[in-house]
Amino acid sequence: RRAFQPVPRPPPASRGVPLEVCVDCVASAVAAERGGASRLELCANLLEGGTTPSAGLLRVVLRTCSLPVHAMVRPRGGDFLYSEAELEVMREEIREIKRAGAAGVVLGAL
């Protein structure tokens, strides 16, 4: 009697299905790329729902991985109602993320 052997399948990206993986460190970014991700969403503080990653983390991930990286822009956990000061911080973060060379940003606001 033969044991069940799953049929090997190509990674999702090679099947035409985009796979975005949310990562919060370099090791996770590398693992996602090796696992077939087609793009990365880079965050910090995933337990808080994701916040803006540090500039250093963003730069190292960009140097280490060949995938497009979209960085989270969120100054804090909690709700998505931001003060004027928080919105100014977010605008500055977007400028820095663009200068670093990220493919895009991910954000939510009410």
Side-chain angles (χ1 to χ4, degrees), residues 27-73:
S28 294
V30 169
E33 184 171 40
R34 287 183 182 157
S38 51
R39 120 178 177 177
L40 302 175
E41 179 180 313
L42 184 61
C43 303
N45 302 312
L46 288 175
L47 293 177
E48 290 288 324
T51 58
T52 306
S54 71
L57 176 59
L58 175 59
R59 286 187 180 93
V60 172
V61 168
L62 287 168
R63 283 196 308 262
T64 305
C65 296
S66 62
L67 297 174
V69 176
H70 289 72
M72 171 69 74
V73 177

Side-chain angles (χ1 to χ4, degrees), residues 82-95:
Y82 300 115
S83 68
E84 278 302 316
E86 289 172 321
L87 291 172
E88 182 57 32
V89 169
M90 292 171 75
R91 286 189 285 271
E92 188 60 35
E93 294 288 2
I94 291 168
R95 286 188 282 272

Side-chain angles (χ1 to χ4, degrees), residues 11-20 36-39:
S14 67
R15 293 193 311 257
V17 177
L19 176 63
E20 178 181 77
S38 51
R39 120 178 177 177

